[in-house]
Amino acid sequence: MARSTRESILTAAAELMRHRGYAAVAMKDLAAASGAPIGSLYHHFPGGKVQIAREALVNAGAAYGMLIPTLVDPHDDLGEAVEALFAQAADDMAATGYANMCPVASVAAEIADTVDELRQATAEIFDGWLDGGAAYFTKRGLPPAQARDVTVALVGALEGAFILARTLRSREPLLVAGRVLAPGYRGVALGAHAAVPG
Amino acid sequence: MARSTRESILTAAAELMRHRGYAAVAMKDLAAASGAPIGSLYHHFPGGKVQIAREALVNAGAAYGMLIPTLVDPHDDLGEAVEALFAQAADDMAATGYANMCPVASVAAEIADTVDELRQATAEIFDGWLDGGAAYFTKRGLPPAQARDVTVALVGALEGAFILARTLRSREPLLVAGRVLAPGYRGVALGAHAAVPG
DNA sequence: GTCTATATCACGATAGAC
DNA sequence: GTCTATCGTGATATAGAC
């Protein structure tokens, strides 16, 4: 598990942005958290802070995009899957002391109007989640239009419930989201298990 | 409509945080946007940037909390109301060039782990929305438990869809959220119109 | 490719004249 | 209550030795 300096910088960036967003993370913090001196940050990322943030978000986004397929995969009924998904997210959040699971949404909200390079990056990540989720649910037998709607609704509801849950330090928003969304999908059968995209 | 210096500072703060979050808004920016010199900011808000942000968020949160009751009020069927709510939000967002409607969620995501005074403020605002929405739907005849669940689900879905819509610059996430949530509430009658809380 | 030292500038906050 | 000047700090980024 010998990680390169580059990787440790990106890992540190994702970890710090997960908690503080973009503007509140300083290059000095990235140097301290990664163990690399400031000079190395600019050696590996000549584009500076924006480039580091962009690559860290892309990495984190790819990992996070497998969350829905991974958690849905064991289930054969879409309603059950949805309820389990939100219950699992609620438990994870509570277990981590209501820290954010993923830096993408936090950063996206902060920079959508100001740092266009990052807005484009977060948009591509979201698009990847939506396309990947739609492809996954299509493979499990849903009609393409429903597969996409389910994915968009799940990602949106998850992100919104994450913000509420984190701020209120309560599992309620996540549990309610699952409870409200699941009935509409109860009885919708999921077909043969597909390989989780990666 | 002669606004006090204090009010113009708070208005400027809400407007800037709506676009940039908390950390990326500088006192200098608040001075420029409000027309008040730096010294006046600290005269009116001895607590500095945190105090300004807190009061601006409380003000904006109170206004924003009336959104759901106001948009739901003309409807007699909960399903119709939900679909209209998201459609209206989608149109508003598109009309404003996909700017954020409200600073609360953006700031909440950014400071939940770092500035506890603001985390508490945003939590109180969210709680106010949830309590106010639950009270509103209860007055319109829903059982209290359902009234609260509906509110939690709507606020969560709205916030999540806002982030996606703003980043993707698309109405799709808001329209899909409405389309997915509405069927579960179709046929749920809303009783006599209640006064919108304020 | 690593690391130190530093340039340049913007930050939040304060002091104090008016 | 308004406004200017400025303090001390920490920001991003660079230069250049090793």
Side-chain angles (χ1 to χ4, degrees):
Chain A
M1 198 60 188
R3 284 200 335 213
S4 72
T5 300
R6 235 190 105 90
E7 280 166 357
S8 63
I9 292 167
L10 292 176
T11 304
E15 180 63 18
L16 285 171
M17 287 194 295
R18 195 164 80 94
H19 291 281
R20 296 191 224 162
Y22 174 73
V25 172
M27 295 296 275
K28 189 198 69 167
D29 302 328
L30 294 175
S34 68
I38 294 270
S40 289
L41 270 60
Y42 287 94
H43 172 76
H44 292 287
F45 304 93
K49 189 178 169 182
V50 171
Q51 185 187 354
I52 294 175
R54 192 179 60 74
E55 294 197 26
L57 289 172
V58 169
N59 284 4
Y64 202 61
M66 296 188 296
L67 181 75
I68 289 179
T70 301
L71 291 179
V72 167
D73 217 52
H75 297 274
D76 296 318
D77 178 271
L78 183 53
E80 277 176 27
V82 168
E83 192 139 21
L85 169 68
F86 282 92
Q88 181 65 50
D91 289 346
D92 281 355
M93 260 217 141
T96 59
Y98 298 101
N100 203 359
M101 297 175 73
C102 175
V104 181
S106 306
V107 173
E110 191 184 345
I111 49 71
D113 296 339
T114 50
V115 190
D116 199 62
E117 182 177 340
L118 290 181
R119 197 221 104 229
Q120 287 180 27
T122 52
E124 283 165 22
I125 293 165
F126 284 148
D127 271 330
W129 293 353
L130 300 182
D131 292 346
Y136 170 79
F137 282 117
T138 302
K139 271 194 219 150
R140 301 274 328 252
L142 297 192
Q146 185 179 28
R148 179 162 183 98
D149 274 14
V150 169
T151 307
V152 173
L154 287 181
V155 172
L158 269 174
E159 293 293 3
F162 276 146
I163 293 179
L164 292 179
R166 192 153 85 106
T167 302
L168 297 174
R169 298 194 173 160
S170 159
R171 295 190 298 178
E172 186 200 12
L174 282 157
L175 296 177
V176 169
R179 204 190 306 148
V180 166
L181 282 172
Y185 294 122
R186 201 146 280 150
V188 176
L190 294 173
H193 295 217
V196 171
Chain B
M1 197 61 190
R3 282 203 333 215
S4 71
T5 300
R6 234 189 106 89
E7 280 165 358
S8 63
I9 292 167
L10 292 177
T11 303
E15 179 64 18
L16 285 171
M17 288 194 294
R18 198 163 79 93
H19 291 280
R20 297 190 223 163
Y22 174 72
V25 173
M27 294 296 275
K28 188 197 68 167
D29 303 328
L30 293 175
S34 68
I38 293 270
S40 289
L41 270 60
Y42 286 93
H43 173 76
H44 292 286
F45 304 93
K49 189 178 170 183
V50 171
Q51 185 187 355
I52 294 175
R54 192 179 60 73
E55 295 197 26
L57 289 172
V58 169
N59 284 4
Y64 201 61
M66 296 188 296
L67 181 75
I68 288 179
T70 300
L71 290 179
V72 167
D73 217 53
H75 298 274
D76 296 319
D77 177 90
L78 184 52
E80 277 176 28
V82 167
E83 192 139 20
L85 170 68
F86 282 91
Q88 181 64 50
D91 288 346
D92 281 355
M93 260 217 142
T96 59
Y98 299 101
N100 203 359
M101 297 174 72
C102 175
V104 181
S106 306
V107 173
E110 190 184 346
I111 50 71
D113 295 339
T114 49
V115 190
D116 199 62
E117 183 178 340
L118 290 181
R119 197 221 102 229
Q120 287 179 28
T122 52
E124 283 165 22
I125 293 165
F126 284 147
D127 271 330
W129 293 354
L130 299 182
D131 292 346
Y136 170 79
F137 282 118
T138 302
K139 272 195 219 149
R140 301 274 328 252
L142 298 192
Q146 186 180 27
R148 181 164 182 95
D149 274 15
V150 169
T151 307
V152 173
L154 287 182
V155 172
L158 268 175
E159 293 293 3
F162 277 146
I163 294 179
L164 292 179
R166 191 151 85 106
T167 302
L168 297 173
R169 298 194 173 160
S170 159
R171 294 190 299 180
E172 187 200 11
L174 282 158
L175 296 177
V176 170
R179 204 191 306 149
V180 166
L181 282 172
Y185 295 121
R186 201 146 279 150
V188 176
L190 294 174
H193 293 218
V196 170

